[in-house]
Amino acid sequence: MAKPAAVESAFDVAYWFNDTALNNNEYLQPQKLHRLMFLAQAYYAAMNKGRRLMPSVFVASEMGPIEPNVYTAFSKGRPDMEVNLFMADGVEEFLDTIWRRFGHHSADRLTQLTKATLAYKAARKLGVRAEITLLSMFVAFSKGEDTPAID
């Protein structure tokens, strides 16, 4: 039986990355947001025995991995909604690690990194918008093959 996700929704993580970028005087492009969220989900699973960071589904779009619900909600800018900005123990520190490791990269660079992962490639073989399963993320990022180092 799968453990519950560490946060309530993917929007909690999306807002966290958006707020962190704003605090660093940076505009967070939508594509960059999705790549950071994908990396966060994959690394969290790899570091926590397959547990989800957020209850979400990532799909292999032609642009790279996206979370379609967040993509639609943010299509006209940051949506006005209630999110939980109080993260469970260790989650904010984990997200901060992802930001420090990958936040300085361009959206294009993060797209290259994520499209090179075995998890993305496997889903892409199934077709556009095929789900990138948490299991494939866990396996690919646990092995560390074709995935960027987090340290």
Side-chain angles (χ1 to χ4, degrees):
M1 188 163 158
K3 289 185 178 182
V7 300
E8 290 180 19
S9 80
F11 292 99
D12 297 346
V13 175
Y15 268 67
W16 189 93
F17 280 126
N18 268 291
D19 290 347
T20 299
L22 285 173
N23 291 339
N24 287 284
N25 296 315
E26 181 183 327
Y27 168 69
L28 187 59
Q29 295 170 293
Q31 295 303 317
K32 185 171 178 175
L33 170 63
H34 287 273
R35 303 316 172 255
L36 290 168
M37 290 177 66
F38 173 79
L39 290 167
Q41 181 84 311
Y43 280 112
Y44 194 85
M47 296 169 66
N48 292 279
K49 300 178 183 162
R51 184 177 180 197
R52 289 182 189 277
L53 169 64
M54 57 195 137
S56 61
V57 173
F58 286 87
V59 297
S61 77
E62 291 177 3
M63 300 176 284
I66 64 167
E67 204 297 335
N69 300 304
V70 171
Y71 184 82
T72 300
F74 277 76
S75 65
K76 294 185 179 176
R78 183 179 170 131
D80 183 19
M81 62 175 53
E82 291 287 325
V83 295
N84 185 1
L85 297 177
F86 298 100
M87 304 286 179
D89 285 342
V91 173
E92 190 161 355
E93 293 82 3
F94 170 77
L95 291 174
D96 190 57
T97 300
I98 295 293
W99 179 259
R100 282 185 282 115
R101 173 65 179 90
F102 300 106
H104 65 280
H105 289 298
S106 69
D108 288 342
R109 178 68 181 128
L110 292 178
T111 296
Q112 287 175 331
L113 290 173
T114 55
K115 285 176 111 177
T117 65
L118 294 176
Y120 174 83
K121 289 177 182 178
R124 194 67 180 91
K125 283 182 183 176
L126 298 174
V128 177
R129 293 180 308 280
E131 180 180 350
I132 305 168
T133 66
L134 184 67
L135 178 59
S136 70
M137 294 160 120
F138 170 70
V139 169
F141 282 72
S142 293
K143 288 182 178 179
E145 296 173 10
D146 298 322
T147 58
I150 194 160
D151 52 28

